[in-house]
Amino acid sequence: MQIDTILAKLQIESLNTMQHAAYKTSDKHQDLVLLSPTGSGKTLAFLFPILRNLKKDKKGVQALIMAPSRELALQIEQVFKSMGTGFKVNSCYGGHAVKIEENNFIEPPAVLVGTPGRIAFHIRNQNFNPKTIETLVLDEFDKSLEFGFTEDMSFIIGKMNGLKHRLLTSATDLKEIPDFTGLEEAKYIDFLREKQVKSNLTLKKVMSEPEEKLETLIALIGKIGAKNTLIFCNHRDAVNRISELLKQNKVTHESFHGGMEQDERERALLKFRNGSIRILITTDLAARGLDIPEVEAIIHYQLPPKEDAFIHRNGRTARMNASGIAYLIMTTEEQYPFIKPNVEEVKLSTDYKLPQTAAFKTLYISAGKKDKINKVDIVGYLIKTGGLEKDDVGLIEVKDTSAYVAVKETKVKNLLANLVNRKLKGKKVKIEIAL
């Protein structure tokens, strides 16, 4: 399949400079280390080389992509599916039913995406044969090391004796690459110093007394208004504390951190993508590699101790030539070497109104791909049976056994009433507001 055909399906005009360099350099199974910032398109940079190596007549897993988080694994799987290559792809990760994954290995996918812990589990239980794998991708490798996956990755790579091609990606400079990766004569492509990625970001600081940081945050949210906003914290308890405060002030939002169940995390990101919420409170888990919309404002409720983390957080906004603002809530005692002293200070008022409920609400439908339900079916159901107009329907995401759709908040009540006991493609389904 031609690259141009796939790009047209993805609604992309052409590969960017970094992606083109990765594709060209990795030809003839040349091992590659790709250093490039968050949001620069590394997923396609390694998926096209993978696709070039896949063989239609070969059985078993041909390519393995290891990612540090469940969300990133799911995102890579979805991008590959969107390419429409005809090759099977599956993802494996913790918090997901092992039985579903084991069933997927009855006819192994050509491309397997997963977190190191879960992939190691399947190898130990002999659920697939790692010796058929010829291409290995270690995506966001620096983050995998940080998350403590060294032992699992070393074990997995040690079981793959048929490897012909290795690609490693990172959003930070790597001082040293561990021997277990097998990358001995790799070519390096370094785009970390490309300035256009962060050229339109404005930093502003908001000074606060330590005991007044929550009140300062509320005032800042009022100032920012109804914009897509990420609030970054260093710890989960701070995320939970802010969430309680926003609930008390009736501000619609979601939380996102590693202590949450997988389905809770997925719903939080989904609502942020489809506009059902404008505010996502998170740890650094959301700083990299996630499929979330253009963020207009970032609030550092707590600044990270290291500059790399600060850069990755800010990389969620001012992407692709858009502009964005990162607000730093700071106390006079705080000093960070990576924060310049001339950052503009913003004074807050107490007169701001907090943002109103988002224009859309997310609805859950108890049917998905395995029920032969697609986006077109859902649109028809909501318009013809539910009485909505086309503009009342927002983003739709169809999963294996369920679907989620954004609907204008003002139309939800009547829609749910109209759909009581009404079937979708002849199937009785539950439809309700997604909590």
Side-chain angles (χ1 to χ4, degrees):
M1 184 177 289
Q2 294 293 318
I3 288 179
D4 290 345
T5 304
I6 296 173
L7 291 176
K9 287 183 181 180
L10 298 172
Q11 298 181 318
I12 297 172
E13 286 189 15
S14 61
L15 295 178
N16 64 31
T17 306
M18 178 271 292
Q19 292 163 342
H20 186 267
Y23 189 73
K24 185 178 179 181
T25 306
S26 63
D27 197 10
K28 298 179 182 176
H29 295 108
Q30 172 66 58
D31 288 351
L32 178 66
V33 174
L34 175 59
L35 308 176
S36 193
T38 295
S40 57
K42 290 192 291 295
T43 301
L44 286 182
F46 63 72
L47 285 181
F48 277 113
I50 282 177
L51 183 59
R52 179 173 54 200
N53 295 340
L54 295 180
K55 302 176 182 69
K56 289 282 185 187
D57 57 351
K58 185 174 179 180
K59 302 290 185 183
V61 179
Q62 298 184 51
L64 172 64
I65 305 166
M66 282 196 273
S69 70
R70 308 161 185 175
E71 287 77 17
L72 184 53
L74 283 165
Q75 180 180 317
I76 294 167
E77 178 190 27
Q78 191 53 52
V79 172
F80 189 83
K81 284 180 177 178
S82 301
M83 293 168 74
T85 65
F87 286 101
K88 182 180 177 182
V89 60
N90 287 125
S91 59
C92 301
Y93 48 88
H96 186 230
V98 170
K99 190 65 180 172
I100 293 174
E101 296 175 357
E102 289 173 341
N103 289 340
N104 286 332
F105 285 124
I106 294 172
E107 290 186 23
V111 179
L112 178 63
V113 193
T115 52
R118 185 54 70 93
I119 291 170
F121 168 86
H122 286 299
I123 290 176
R124 289 188 177 100
N125 285 274
Q126 300 182 342
N127 292 329
F128 74 95
N129 182 4
K131 294 179 180 179
T132 62
I133 297 170
E134 295 186 352
T135 304
L136 169 67
V137 174
L138 301 170
D139 191 25
E140 300 284 7
F141 181 69
D142 54 326
K143 205 68 180 172
S144 292
L145 292 177
E146 186 183 319
F147 283 178
F149 288 131
T150 300
E151 189 176 327
D152 285 329
M153 289 190 291
S154 179
F155 166 75
I156 293 163
I157 294 171
K159 295 294 182 181
M160 296 188 291
N161 57 13
L163 277 180
K164 296 178 180 177
H165 195 198
R166 303 168 200 243
L167 297 95
L168 184 153
T169 82
S170 174
T172 61
D173 202 356
L174 294 168
K175 306 299 181 192
E176 189 177 333
I177 295 178
D179 291 339
F180 72 76
T181 62
L183 285 154
E184 295 176 357
E185 297 181 4
K187 290 274 189 179
Y188 276 70
I189 297 179
D190 188 350
F191 276 77
L192 289 177
R193 287 151 192 85
E194 290 292 300
K195 293 189 176 169
Q196 65 266 27
V197 176
K198 52 184 179 181
S199 59
N200 292 323
L201 175 69
T202 302
L203 296 181
K204 296 185 179 184
K205 64 183 177 183
V206 181
M207 303 308 295
S208 173
E209 295 297 327
E211 65 275 10
E212 295 175 359
K213 283 188 76 171
L214 287 172
E215 290 82 356
T216 301
L217 175 64
I218 286 291
L220 181 55
I221 290 170
K223 175 181 173 57
I224 292 169
K227 293 179 180 177
N228 283 351
T229 303
L230 279 175
I231 302 174
F232 278 108
C233 305
N234 292 343
H235 308 290
R236 298 171 188 175
D237 60 343
V239 173
N240 296 333
R241 199 160 58 241
I242 293 169
S243 178
E244 284 302 316
L245 180 68
L246 295 191
K247 283 176 188 173
Q248 292 168 19
N249 284 273
K250 297 183 169 52
V251 177
T252 306
H253 68 283
E254 286 289 343
S255 300
F256 183 82
H257 59 68
M260 297 167 59
E261 294 294 328
Q262 178 63 22
D263 60 340
E264 294 177 309
R265 284 160 55 175
E266 287 183 33
R267 277 199 304 276
L269 293 180
L270 188 147
K271 290 179 183 180
F272 195 56
R273 279 197 296 270
N274 69 24
S276 294
I277 61 161
R278 293 287 198 180
I279 296 173
L280 185 68
I281 317 161
T282 180
T283 58
D284 283 339
L285 188 63
R288 294 167 59 179
L290 297 186
D291 179 18
I292 55 179
E294 180 61 51
V295 176
E296 297 163 279
I298 285 171
I299 299 174
H300 297 271
Y301 178 76
Q302 295 168 322
L303 279 157
K306 295 183 179 179
E307 185 177 13
D308 280 351
F310 183 66
I311 291 169
H312 291 311
R313 288 180 179 187
N314 292 336
R316 303 311 322 188
T317 189
R319 300 162 78 182
M320 301 302 289
N321 299 319
S323 59
I325 300 176
Y327 294 93
L328 325 177
I329 298 181
M330 300 179 68
T331 65
T332 52
E333 292 81 13
E334 288 180 299
Q335 298 292 328
Y336 296 89
F338 51 86
I339 305 296
K340 295 178 181 177
N342 62 348
V343 173
E344 178 189 350
E345 183 177 345
V346 176
K347 300 290 186 182
L348 299 178
S349 161
T350 56
D351 300 330
Y352 303 117
K353 289 186 177 179
L354 289 170
Q356 301 298 305
T357 303
F360 284 87
K361 255 197 172 9
T362 299
L363 298 185
Y364 159 83
I365 300 173
S366 64
K369 294 174 186 174
K370 293 191 174 178
D371 305 292
K372 309 298 186 201
I373 300 295
N374 59 36
K375 292 180 183 180
V376 175
D377 299 325
I378 292 171
V379 170
Y381 178 61
L382 298 178
I383 292 175
K384 294 175 184 176
T385 310
L388 294 183
E389 299 291 330
K390 189 175 180 182
D391 290 344
D392 297 330
V393 183
L395 187 70
I396 298 172
E397 297 192 31
V398 184
K399 302 187 179 298
D400 286 345
T401 58
S402 61
Y404 295 87
V405 54
V407 172
K408 277 191 179 172
E409 197 267 342
T410 54
K411 303 296 179 74
V412 168
K413 187 176 179 180
N414 284 342
L415 173 69
L416 294 178
N418 290 342
L419 293 178
V420 171
N421 296 323
R422 305 295 295 273
K423 294 182 178 180
L424 170 58
K425 282 189 75 173
K427 176 182 174 65
K428 190 175 181 180
V429 296
K430 180 192 289 186
I431 180 167
E432 60 190 13
I433 296 171
L435 300 176

